mmCIF file of all heavy atoms in Angstrom:
data_model
loop_
_atom_site.group_PDB
_atom_site.id
_atom_site.type_symbol
_atom_site.label_atom_id
_atom_site.label_comp_id
_atom_site.label_asym_id
_atom_site.label_seq_id
_atom_site.Cartn_x
_atom_site.Cartn_y
_atom_site.Cartn_z
ATOM 1 N N LEU Y 314 -3.370 5.440 4.116
ATOM 2 C CA LEU Y 314 -4.743 5.188 4.441
ATOM 3 C C LEU Y 314 -5.235 3.809 4.264
ATOM 4 O O LEU Y 314 -5.336 3.266 3.278
ATOM 5 C CB LEU Y 314 -5.694 6.156 3.671
ATOM 6 C CG LEU Y 314 -5.396 7.557 3.711
ATOM 7 C CD1 LEU Y 314 -6.255 8.492 2.846
ATOM 8 C CD2 LEU Y 314 -5.573 8.162 5.152
ATOM 9 N N HIS Y 315 -5.264 3.140 5.473
ATOM 10 C CA HIS Y 315 -5.888 1.787 5.509
ATOM 11 C C HIS Y 315 -7.391 2.052 6.132
ATOM 12 O O HIS Y 315 -7.771 2.937 6.284
ATOM 13 C CB HIS Y 315 -5.037 0.859 6.253
ATOM 14 C CG HIS Y 315 -3.684 0.683 5.650
ATOM 15 N ND1 HIS Y 315 -3.446 0.176 4.293
ATOM 16 C CD2 HIS Y 315 -2.380 1.122 6.065
ATOM 17 C CE1 HIS Y 315 -2.132 0.194 4.055
ATOM 18 N NE2 HIS Y 315 -1.612 0.783 4.993
ATOM 19 N N ALA Y 316 -7.917 0.701 6.450
ATOM 20 C CA ALA Y 316 -9.255 0.707 6.879
ATOM 21 C C ALA Y 316 -9.597 1.741 8.040
ATOM 22 O O ALA Y 316 -10.398 2.462 7.966
ATOM 23 C CB ALA Y 316 -9.701 -0.693 7.178
ATOM 24 N N ALA Y 317 -8.725 1.649 9.121
ATOM 25 C CA ALA Y 317 -9.097 2.407 10.257
ATOM 26 C C ALA Y 317 -8.835 3.968 9.964
ATOM 27 O O ALA Y 317 -9.730 4.741 10.506
ATOM 28 C CB ALA Y 317 -8.078 1.996 11.425
ATOM 29 N N GLN Y 318 -7.943 4.198 9.146
ATOM 30 C CA GLN Y 318 -7.765 5.743 8.924
ATOM 31 C C GLN Y 318 -8.912 6.209 8.027
ATOM 32 O O GLN Y 318 -9.436 7.433 8.234
ATOM 33 C CB GLN Y 318 -6.419 5.946 8.118
ATOM 34 C CG GLN Y 318 -5.238 5.564 9.013
ATOM 35 C CD GLN Y 318 -4.970 4.169 9.298
ATOM 36 O OE1 GLN Y 318 -5.283 3.272 8.437
ATOM 37 N NE2 GLN Y 318 -4.457 3.814 10.482
ATOM 38 N N ILE Y 319 -9.386 5.380 7.135
ATOM 39 C CA ILE Y 319 -10.597 5.769 6.282
ATOM 40 C C ILE Y 319 -11.789 5.869 7.263
ATOM 41 O O ILE Y 319 -12.609 6.844 7.040
ATOM 42 C CB ILE Y 319 -10.704 4.705 5.229
ATOM 43 C CG1 ILE Y 319 -9.574 4.994 4.132
ATOM 44 C CG2 ILE Y 319 -12.090 4.981 4.546
ATOM 45 C CD1 ILE Y 319 -9.485 3.908 3.035
ATOM 46 N N GLY Y 320 -11.933 5.046 8.149
ATOM 47 C CA GLY Y 320 -12.978 4.973 9.131
ATOM 48 C C GLY Y 320 -12.954 6.263 9.882
ATOM 49 O O GLY Y 320 -14.056 6.906 10.027
ATOM 50 N N VAL Y 321 -11.896 6.847 10.399
ATOM 51 C CA VAL Y 321 -11.870 7.894 11.250
ATOM 52 C C VAL Y 321 -12.227 9.134 10.342
ATOM 53 O O VAL Y 321 -12.834 10.083 10.801
ATOM 54 C CB VAL Y 321 -10.606 8.055 12.067
ATOM 55 C CG1 VAL Y 321 -9.448 8.674 11.298
ATOM 56 C CG2 VAL Y 321 -10.872 8.923 13.294
ATOM 57 N N ALA Y 322 -11.682 9.220 9.138
ATOM 58 C CA ALA Y 322 -11.929 10.208 8.283
ATOM 59 C C ALA Y 322 -13.433 10.406 7.965
ATOM 60 O O ALA Y 322 -14.016 11.559 8.010
ATOM 61 C CB ALA Y 322 -11.177 10.156 6.846
ATOM 62 N N ALA Y 323 -14.211 9.291 7.876
ATOM 63 C CA ALA Y 323 -15.631 9.307 7.686
ATOM 64 C C ALA Y 323 -16.279 9.885 8.966
ATOM 65 O O ALA Y 323 -17.135 10.677 8.812
ATOM 66 C CB ALA Y 323 -16.119 8.062 7.239
ATOM 67 N N ALA Y 324 -15.772 9.280 9.978
ATOM 68 C CA ALA Y 324 -16.470 9.621 11.305
ATOM 69 C C ALA Y 324 -16.444 11.049 11.524
ATOM 70 O O ALA Y 324 -17.366 11.554 12.241
ATOM 71 C CB ALA Y 324 -15.767 8.902 12.398
ATOM 72 N N VAL Y 325 -15.353 11.776 11.257
ATOM 73 C CA VAL Y 325 -15.285 13.228 11.487
ATOM 74 C C VAL Y 325 -15.853 14.114 10.322
ATOM 75 O O VAL Y 325 -15.672 15.268 10.234
ATOM 76 C CB VAL Y 325 -13.846 13.693 11.764
ATOM 77 C CG1 VAL Y 325 -13.301 12.894 13.102
ATOM 78 C CG2 VAL Y 325 -12.872 13.518 10.701
ATOM 79 N N GLY Y 326 -16.442 13.314 9.409
ATOM 80 C CA GLY Y 326 -17.359 14.210 8.345
ATOM 81 C C GLY Y 326 -16.604 14.366 7.028
ATOM 82 O O GLY Y 326 -17.156 15.091 6.231
ATOM 83 N N SER Y 327 -15.390 13.765 6.793
ATOM 84 C CA SER Y 327 -14.815 14.013 5.460
ATOM 85 C C SER Y 327 -15.421 13.171 4.480
ATOM 86 O O SER Y 327 -15.261 11.885 4.591
ATOM 87 C CB SER Y 327 -13.268 13.725 5.604
ATOM 88 O OG SER Y 327 -12.732 14.453 6.639
#
Side-chain angles (χ1 to χ4, degrees):
L314 301 175
H315 297 297
Q318 292 74 34
I319 289 170
V321 81
V325 298
S327 306

